Coordinates of all heavy atoms in Angstrom, one line a residue:
L1 N 148.2 191.7 67.2 CA 149.5 191.4 67.7 C 150.6 191.5 66.6 O 151.6 192.1 66.8 CB 149.6 190.1 68.4 CG 150.9 189.7 69.0 CD1 151.2 190.6 70.2 CD2 150.8 188.2 69.5
A2 N 150.3 190.9 65.5 CA 151.3 190.9 64.4 C 151.5 192.4 63.9 O 152.6 192.8 63.6 CB 150.9 190.0 63.2
Y3 N 150.4 193.1 63.8 CA 150.5 194.5 63.4 C 151.4 195.3 64.3 O 152.2 196.1 63.9 CB 149.1 195.1 63.2 CG 149.1 196.6 62.8 CD1 149.4 196.9 61.5 CD2 148.8 197.6 63.7 CE1 149.5 198.2 61.1 CE2 148.9 198.9 63.4 CZ 149.2 199.2 62.1 OH 149.2 200.5 61.7
R4 N 151.1 195.1 65.6 CA 151.9 195.9 66.6 C 153.4 195.6 66.5 O 154.2 196.4 66.6 CB 151.4 195.5 68.0 CG 151.5 196.6 69.0 CD 150.9 196.3 70.3 NE 150.4 194.9 70.3 CZ 149.9 194.4 71.4 NH1 149.7 195.1 72.5 NH2 149.5 193.1 71.4
S5 N 153.7 194.2 66.3 CA 155.1 193.8 66.2 C 155.7 194.4 64.9 O 156.9 194.9 64.9 CB 155.2 192.3 66.2 OG 154.8 191.8 67.4
Y6 N 155.0 194.5 63.9 CA 155.5 195.0 62.6 C 155.8 196.5 62.8 O 156.8 197.0 62.4 CB 154.4 194.8 61.5 CG 154.8 195.5 60.2 CD1 155.8 194.9 59.4 CD2 154.1 196.6 59.9 CE1 156.1 195.6 58.2 CE2 154.5 197.3 58.7 CZ 155.5 196.7 57.9 OH 155.8 197.3 56.7
K7 N 154.9 197.2 63.5 CA 155.1 198.6 63.6 C 156.3 198.9 64.5 O 157.0 199.9 64.3 CB 153.9 199.3 64.2 CG 153.0 199.9 63.2 CD 152.1 200.8 63.9 CE 151.9 202.1 63.2 NZ 151.9 203.1 62.7
S8 N 156.5 198.1 65.5 CA 157.6 198.3 66.5 C 159.0 197.9 65.9 O 160.0 198.2 66.5 CB 157.4 197.6 67.8 OG 157.4 196.2 67.6
G9 N 159.0 197.3 64.7 CA 160.2 196.9 64.1 C 160.7 195.5 64.5 O 161.8 195.1 64.1
T10 N 160.0 194.8 65.3 CA 160.4 193.4 65.7 C 159.6 192.4 64.9 O 158.4 192.7 64.6 CB 160.3 193.2 67.2 OG1 158.9 193.4 67.5 CG2 161.1 194.1 68.0
P11 N 160.1 191.3 64.6 CA 159.4 190.3 63.8 C 158.2 189.8 64.6 O 158.2 189.8 65.8 CB 160.3 189.2 63.6 CG 161.7 189.7 64.0 CD 161.5 190.9 64.8
A12 N 157.1 189.5 63.9 CA 155.9 189.0 64.5 C 156.2 187.8 65.3 O 156.9 186.9 64.9 CB 154.8 188.7 63.4
G13 N 155.7 187.7 66.5 CA 155.8 186.6 67.3 C 157.1 186.5 68.1 O 157.3 185.6 68.9
S14 N 158.0 187.5 67.9 CA 159.3 187.4 68.6 C 159.2 187.7 70.1 O 160.0 187.3 70.9 CB 160.3 188.3 68.0 OG 159.9 189.7 68.2
D15 N 158.1 188.4 70.5 CA 157.9 188.7 71.9 C 157.1 187.6 72.6 O 156.9 187.7 73.8 CB 157.2 190.0 72.0 CG 155.8 190.0 71.3 OD1 155.7 189.2 70.4 OD2 155.0 190.9 71.6
L16 N 156.8 186.5 71.9 CA 156.1 185.4 72.5 C 157.1 184.3 73.0 O 158.0 184.0 72.2 CB 155.1 184.8 71.6 CG 154.0 185.7 71.1 CD1 153.1 185.0 70.0 CD2 153.2 186.2 72.2
A17 N 156.9 183.8 74.1 CA 157.7 182.7 74.6 C 157.3 181.4 73.9 O 156.1 181.1 73.8 CB 157.7 182.6 76.1
I18 N 158.2 180.6 73.4 CA 157.9 179.4 72.8 C 157.9 178.3 73.9 O 158.9 178.1 74.6 CB 158.9 179.0 71.7 CG1 158.8 180.1 70.6 CG2 158.6 177.6 71.1 CD1 159.9 179.9 69.6
A19 N 156.7 177.6 74.0 CA 156.6 176.6 75.0 C 157.2 175.3 74.5 O 156.8 174.9 73.4 CB 155.1 176.4 75.4
K20 N 158.1 174.7 75.2 CA 158.6 173.4 74.8 C 157.8 172.3 75.5 O 157.6 172.4 76.7 CB 160.1 173.3 75.3 CG 161.0 174.2 74.5 CD 162.4 174.0 74.9 CE 163.3 175.0 74.2 NZ 164.7 174.9 74.6
P21 N 157.4 171.3 74.7 CA 156.6 170.3 75.4 C 157.4 169.4 76.3 O 158.6 169.2 76.1 CB 156.1 169.4 74.2 CG 157.1 169.7 73.1 CD 157.6 171.1 73.3
Q22 N 156.8 169.1 77.4 CA 157.4 168.3 78.4 C 157.2 166.8 78.0 O 156.1 166.4 77.9 CB 156.9 168.5 79.8 CG 157.1 169.9 80.3 CD 158.6 170.2 80.5 OE1 159.3 169.3 80.9 NE2 159.1 171.4 80.2
L23 N 158.3 166.1 77.8 CA 158.2 164.7 77.4 C 158.4 163.8 78.6 O 159.3 164.1 79.4 CB 159.2 164.4 76.3 CG 159.2 165.2 75.1 CD1 160.3 164.8 74.1 CD2 157.8 165.1 74.4
N24 N 157.6 162.8 78.7 CA 157.8 161.8 79.7 C 157.7 160.4 79.1 O 157.3 160.3 78.0 CB 156.8 162.0 80.9 CG 155.4 161.8 80.5 OD1 155.1 161.0 79.6 ND2 154.5 162.5 81.1
Q25 N 158.2 159.4 79.8 CA 158.3 158.1 79.3 C 156.9 157.5 78.9 O 156.8 156.8 78.0 CB 158.9 157.2 80.3 CG 159.3 155.8 79.8 CD 160.4 155.9 78.7 OE1 161.1 156.8 78.6 NE2 160.4 154.9 77.8
Q26 N 155.8 157.9 79.6 CA 154.5 157.4 79.3 C 154.0 157.7 77.9 O 153.3 157.0 77.3 CB 153.5 157.9 80.4 CG 153.8 157.3 81.7 CD 152.9 157.8 82.8 OE1 152.2 158.8 82.6 NE2 152.8 157.2 83.9
Q27 N 154.5 158.8 77.4 CA 154.0 159.2 76.0 C 154.6 158.3 75.0 O 154.1 158.3 73.9 CB 154.5 160.6 75.7 CG 153.7 161.7 76.6 CD 154.3 163.1 76.3 OE1 155.5 163.3 76.2 NE2 153.4 164.0 76.2
F28 N 155.6 157.5 75.3 CA 156.2 156.7 74.3 C 155.8 155.2 74.4 O 156.3 154.4 73.7 CB 157.7 156.8 74.3 CG 158.2 158.2 73.9 CD1 158.6 159.1 74.8 CD2 158.1 158.6 72.6 CE1 159.0 160.4 74.4 CE2 158.5 159.9 72.2 CZ 158.9 160.8 73.1
E29 N 155.0 154.9 75.4 CA 154.5 153.5 75.5 C 153.6 153.2 74.4 O 152.8 154.0 73.9 CB 153.8 153.3 76.9 CG 154.6 153.5 78.1 CD 155.7 152.5 78.2 OE1 155.5 151.3 77.8 OE2 156.9 152.9 78.6
P30 N 153.7 151.9 73.8 CA 152.8 151.6 72.7 C 151.3 151.5 73.2 O 151.1 151.1 74.3 CB 153.3 150.2 72.3 CG 154.1 149.7 73.4 CD 154.6 150.9 74.2
A31 N 150.4 151.8 72.3 CA 149.0 151.7 72.6 C 148.5 150.3 72.8 O 147.6 150.1 73.5 CB 148.2 152.4 71.5
I32 N 149.2 149.3 72.1 CA 148.8 148.0 72.3 C 150.0 147.2 72.8 O 151.2 147.6 72.6 CB 148.3 147.3 71.0 CG1 149.3 147.5 69.9 CG2 147.0 148.0 70.5 CD1 149.0 146.7 68.6
A33 N 149.8 146.1 73.4 CA 150.9 145.2 73.9 C 151.6 144.6 72.7 O 150.9 144.0 71.9 CB 150.4 144.2 74.9
V34 N 152.9 144.7 72.7 CA 153.7 144.0 71.6 C 154.1 142.7 72.1 O 154.8 142.6 73.2 CB 154.9 144.9 71.2 CG1 155.7 144.2 70.2 CG2 154.4 146.3 70.7
P35 N 153.8 141.6 71.4 CA 154.3 140.3 71.9 C 155.8 140.2 71.9 O 156.5 140.8 71.0 CB 153.6 139.3 71.0 CG 153.4 140.1 69.7 CD 153.2 141.5 70.1
P36 N 156.3 139.4 72.8 CA 157.8 139.2 72.8 C 158.2 138.4 71.6 O 157.4 137.7 71.0 CB 158.0 138.4 74.1 CG 156.7 137.7 74.4 CD 155.7 138.7 73.9
P37 N 159.5 138.5 71.2 CA 159.9 137.7 70.1 C 159.9 136.2 70.4 O 159.9 135.8 71.5 CB 161.4 138.2 69.9 CG 161.8 138.8 71.2 CD 160.5 139.3 71.8
P38 N 159.7 135.4 69.3 CA 159.7 134.0 69.6 C 161.0 133.5 70.2 O 162.0 134.0 69.9 CB 159.4 133.4 68.2 CG 159.8 134.4 67.2 CD 159.6 135.7 67.9
P39 N 160.9 132.4 70.9 CA 162.2 131.9 71.5 C 163.1 131.3 70.4 O 162.6 130.8 69.4 CB 161.7 130.8 72.5 CG 160.3 130.4 72.0 CD 159.8 131.6 71.3
V40 N 164.4 131.5 70.7 CA 165.3 131.0 69.7 C 165.6 129.5 70.0 O 165.8 129.1 71.1 CB 166.7 131.8 69.8 CG1 167.7 131.3 68.9 CG2 166.4 133.3 69.6
N41 N 165.5 128.8 68.9 CA 165.8 127.3 69.0 C 167.3 127.1 68.9 O 167.9 127.2 67.9 CB 165.0 126.6 67.9 CG 165.2 125.1 68.1 OD1 165.8 124.6 69.0 ND2 164.6 124.3 67.2
N42 N 167.9 126.8 70.1 CA 169.4 126.7 70.1 C 169.8 125.2 69.9 O 170.9 124.9 69.8 CB 169.9 127.2 71.4 CG 169.9 128.7 71.5 OD1 169.9 129.4 70.5 ND2 169.8 129.2 72.7
A43 N 168.8 124.3 69.7 CA 169.1 122.9 69.5 C 169.7 122.8 68.1 O 169.2 123.4 67.1 CB 167.9 122.1 69.6
P44 N 170.7 122.0 67.9 CA 171.3 121.8 66.6 C 170.3 121.1 65.6 O 169.6 120.3 66.0 CB 172.5 120.9 66.8 CG 172.3 120.2 68.1 CD 171.4 121.2 68.9
S45 N 170.3 121.6 64.4 CA 169.4 121.0 63.4 C 170.0 119.7 63.0 O 171.2 119.5 63.0 CB 169.2 122.0 62.3 OG 170.4 122.2 61.6
P46 N 169.1 118.8 62.7 CA 169.6 117.4 62.3 C 170.3 117.5 61.0 O 170.0 118.4 60.1 CB 168.3 116.6 62.1 CG 167.2 117.6 62.0 CD 167.6 118.8 62.7
S47 N 171.3 116.7 60.8 CA 172.1 116.7 59.6 C 171.2 116.1 58.5 O 170.2 115.5 58.7 CB 173.3 115.9 59.7 OG 173.0 114.5 59.8
K48 N 171.7 116.3 57.2 CA 171.0 115.8 56.1 C 170.9 114.3 56.2 O 169.8 113.7 55.9 CB 171.7 116.2 54.8 CG 171.6 117.7 54.5 CD 172.3 118.0 53.2 CE 172.2 119.5 53.0 NZ 172.9 119.9 51.7
A49 N 171.9 113.6 56.6 CA 171.9 112.2 56.7 C 170.9 111.7 57.8 O 170.2 110.7 57.6 CB 173.3 111.7 57.1
Q50 N 170.8 112.5 58.9 CA 169.8 112.1 59.9 C 168.4 112.3 59.4 O 167.5 111.4 59.6 CB 170.0 113.0 61.1 CG 171.2 112.7 61.9 CD 171.5 113.7 63.0 OE1 171.2 114.9 62.9 NE2 172.1 113.2 64.1
E51 N 168.1 113.3 58.6 CA 166.8 113.6 58.0 C 166.4 112.4 57.1 O 165.3 111.9 57.1 CB 166.7 114.9 57.3 CG 166.8 116.1 58.3 CD 166.6 117.4 57.5 OE1 165.5 117.6 56.9 OE2 167.5 118.2 57.6
I52 N 167.4 112.1 56.2 CA 167.1 111.0 55.3 C 166.9 109.7 56.0 O 166.0 108.9 55.6 CB 168.3 110.9 54.2 CG1 168.3 112.2 53.4 CG2 168.2 109.7 53.4 CD1 169.5 112.3 52.5
A53 N 167.7 109.4 57.0 CA 167.5 108.2 57.8 C 166.1 108.2 58.4 O 165.4 107.1 58.4 CB 168.5 108.1 58.9
E54 N 165.6 109.3 58.9 CA 164.2 109.4 59.5 C 163.2 109.1 58.4 O 162.2 108.4 58.6 CB 164.0 110.7 60.1 CG 164.7 111.0 61.4 CD 164.3 110.0 62.5 OE1 163.0 109.8 62.7 OE2 165.1 109.5 63.2
L55 N 163.4 109.6 57.2 CA 162.5 109.4 56.1 C 162.5 107.9 55.7 O 161.5 107.3 55.4 CB 162.9 110.2 54.9 CG 162.6 111.7 55.0 CD1 163.1 112.4 53.7 CD2 161.1 112.0 55.1
H56 N 163.7 107.3 55.8 CA 163.8 105.9 55.4 C 163.0 105.0 56.4 O 162.4 104.0 56.0 CB 165.3 105.4 55.4 CG 165.4 104.1 54.8 ND1 165.6 103.0 55.6 CD2 165.5 103.6 53.5 CE1 165.7 101.9 54.9 NE2 165.6 102.2 53.6
K57 N 163.1 105.4 57.7 CA 162.3 104.7 58.7 C 160.8 104.7 58.4 O 160.1 103.8 58.5 CB 162.5 105.2 60.1 CG 163.9 104.9 60.7 CD 164.0 105.5 62.0 CE 165.4 105.4 62.6 NZ 165.6 106.0 63.9
L58 N 160.4 105.9 57.9 CA 158.9 106.0 57.5 C 158.6 105.2 56.3 O 157.5 104.6 56.3 CB 158.6 107.5 57.2 CG 158.7 108.5 58.4 CD1 158.5 109.9 57.9 CD2 157.7 108.1 59.5
V59 N 159.5 105.0 55.4 CA 159.3 104.1 54.3 C 159.2 102.6 54.8 O 158.2 101.9 54.4 CB 160.4 104.2 53.2 CG1 160.3 103.1 52.2 CG2 160.4 105.6 52.6
E60 N 160.1 102.3 55.7 CA 160.0 100.9 56.3 C 158.7 100.6 57.0 O 158.2 99.5 57.0 CB 161.2 100.7 57.2 CG 162.5 100.6 56.4 CD 163.7 100.5 57.3 OE1 163.6 100.8 58.5 OE2 164.8 100.0 56.9
Q61 N 158.2 101.7 57.7 CA 157.0 101.5 58.4 C 155.7 101.6 57.5 O 154.6 101.4 58.0 CB 156.9 102.6 59.5 CG 157.9 102.6 60.5 CD 157.9 103.8 61.4 OE1 157.2 104.8 61.2 NE2 158.8 103.8 62.4
G62 N 155.9 102.0 56.3 CA 154.8 102.0 55.3 C 154.1 103.4 55.3 O 153.1 103.6 54.7
A63 N 154.7 104.4 56.1 CA 154.1 105.7 56.1 C 154.4 106.5 54.9 O 153.6 107.5 54.6 CB 154.5 106.4 57.4
L64 N 155.5 106.2 54.2 CA 155.8 106.9 52.9 C 156.1 105.9 51.9 O 156.5 104.8 52.1 CB 157.1 107.7 53.1 CG 157.2 109.0 53.9 CD1 158.6 109.6 53.9 CD2 156.2 110.0 53.2
T65 N 155.7 106.3 50.6 CA 156.1 105.4 49.5 C 157.5 105.7 49.1 O 158.1 106.7 49.5 CB 155.1 105.7 48.3 OG1 155.4 107.0 47.8 CG2 153.7 105.5 48.7
Q66 N 158.1 104.8 48.3 CA 159.4 105.0 47.8 C 159.5 106.3 47.0 O 160.5 107.0 47.1 CB 159.9 103.8 47.0 CG 161.3 103.8 46.6 CD 162.3 103.8 47.7 OE1 162.1 103.0 48.7 NE2 163.3 104.6 47.7
R67 N 158.5 106.6 46.2 CA 158.5 107.8 45.4 C 158.5 109.0 46.3 O 159.3 110.0 46.1 CB 157.3 107.8 44.5 CG 157.2 109.0 43.6 CD 156.0 108.9 42.7 NE 155.9 110.2 41.9 CZ 154.9 110.5 41.2 NH1 153.9 109.7 41.0 NH2 154.9 111.6 40.5
E68 N 157.7 109.0 47.4 CA 157.7 110.2 48.3 C 159.0 110.3 49.0 O 159.5 111.4 49.2 CB 156.6 110.0 49.3 CG 155.2 110.1 48.8 CD 154.1 109.6 49.8 OE1 154.4 108.7 50.6 OE2 153.0 110.2 49.7
F69 N 159.6 109.2 49.4 CA 160.9 109.2 50.0 C 162.0 109.8 49.1 O 162.7 110.7 49.5 CB 161.4 107.8 50.4 CG 162.8 107.7 50.8 CD1 163.2 108.1 52.0 CD2 163.8 107.2 49.9 CE1 164.6 108.0 52.4 CE2 165.1 107.1 50.2 CZ 165.5 107.5 51.5
D70 N 161.9 109.4 47.8 CA 162.9 109.9 46.8 C 162.8 111.4 46.6 O 163.7 112.2 46.5 CB 162.8 109.2 45.5 CG 163.2 107.7 45.6 OD1 164.0 107.4 46.5 OD2 162.8 106.9 44.8
E71 N 161.5 111.9 46.5 CA 161.2 113.3 46.4 C 161.7 114.1 47.5 O 162.4 115.2 47.4 CB 159.7 113.6 46.1 CG 159.2 113.1 44.8 CD 157.7 113.1 44.7 OE1 157.0 113.6 45.7 OE2 157.2 112.8 43.6
E72 N 161.4 113.7 48.7 CA 161.9 114.4 49.9 C 163.4 114.3 50.1 O 164.0 115.3 50.5 CB 161.2 113.8 51.2 CG 159.7 114.1 51.2 CD 159.4 115.5 51.2 OE1 160.0 116.3 51.9 OE2 158.4 115.9 50.4
K73 N 164.0 113.2 49.7 CA 165.4 113.1 49.8 C 166.1 114.1 48.9 O 167.1 114.7 49.3 CB 165.8 111.7 49.4 CG 167.3 111.4 49.4 CD 167.5 109.9 49.0 CE 169.0 109.7 48.7 NZ 169.3 108.3 48.2
Q74 N 165.6 114.3 47.7 CA 166.1 115.2 46.7 C 166.0 116.7 47.3 O 166.9 117.5 47.1 CB 165.5 115.1 45.4 CG 165.9 113.9 44.6 CD 167.4 113.7 44.5 OE1 168.0 114.7 44.1 NE2 167.9 112.6 44.8
K75 N 164.9 117.0 47.9 CA 164.7 118.3 48.5 C 165.8 118.5 49.6 O 166.4 119.6 49.7 CB 163.3 118.4 49.1 CG 162.2 118.5 48.1 CD 160.9 118.6 48.9 CE 159.7 118.6 47.9 NZ 158.4 118.6 48.6
I76 N 166.0 117.5 50.4 CA 167.0 117.7 51.5 C 168.4 117.8 50.9 O 169.2 118.7 51.3 CB 167.0 116.4 52.4 CG1 165.7 116.4 53.2 CG2 168.2 116.4 53.4 CD1 165.4 115.1 53.9
L77 N 168.7 117.1 49.9 CA 170.1 117.1 49.3 C 170.3 118.5 48.6 O 171.5 118.9 48.5 CB 170.3 116.0 48.4 CG 170.4 114.6 49.1 CD1 170.4 113.5 48.0 CD2 171.5 114.5 50.0
K78 N 169.3 119.1 48.1 CA 169.4 120.4 47.4 C 169.6 121.6 48.3 O 170.0 122.6 47.9 CB 168.2 120.6 46.4 CG 168.3 119.7 45.2 CD 167.1 119.9 44.3 CE 167.1 119.0 43.1 NZ 165.9 119.1 42.3
R79 N 169.2 121.4 49.5 CA 169.3 122.5 50.5 C 170.7 122.8 50.9 O 171.6 121.9 50.8 CB 168.5 122.1 51.8 CG 167.1 122.3 51.8 CD 166.5 122.3 53.2 NE 167.1 121.4 54.1 CZ 166.5 120.4 54.8 NH1 165.2 120.3 54.7 NH2 167.2 119.7 55.6
E80 N 171.0 124.0 51.3 CA 172.3 124.3 51.7 C 172.5 124.1 53.2 O 171.6 124.2 53.9 CB 172.6 125.8 51.3 CG 172.8 126.0 49.8 CD 173.2 127.3 49.5 OE1 173.9 128.0 50.3 OE2 173.0 127.8 48.4

């Protein structure tokens, strides 16, 4: 075929129709199910003072030592 096209003066393959693939929506579906994004927590985050107050309650209950409270308090205060 290429030889015949060459001899006739037309480029090889120019007499062939190019088939365009038919695209449908099913070809673009993922092969595996993609989980939905996690829900957005719209509840306001507690303030630093509220977090420290909660930690202080834990100290009063004996669940945290004073040292642990102080360390966590510093972490909270350093956050933006």
Side-chain angles (χ1 to χ4, degrees):
L1 179 67
Y3 178 73
R4 210 174 7 178
S5 297
Y6 174 74
K7 263 199 139 298
S8 66
T10 59
S14 65
D15 56 342
L16 300 176
I18 298 173
K20 293 182 181 179
Q22 295 295 322
L23 302 177
N24 61 34
Q25 192 63 25
Q26 291 176 345
Q27 289 175 318
F28 295 105
E29 295 297 322
I32 58 171
V34 177
V40 176
N41 184 1
N42 290 332
S45 61
S47 70
K48 291 179 182 182
Q50 289 172 326
E51 289 184 64
I52 293 171
E54 289 295 318
L55 288 174
H56 189 262
K57 288 180 187 176
L58 293 174
V59 171
E60 290 175 339
Q61 295 170 356
L64 282 179
T65 65
Q66 186 64 41
R67 181 178 176 187
E68 292 170 326
F69 169 78
D70 292 336
E71 289 172 359
E72 292 301 314
K73 179 180 167 184
Q74 288 304 312
K75 289 179 188 177
I76 292 169
L77 293 174
K78 288 180 182 179
R79 280 195 325 232
E80 291 187 24

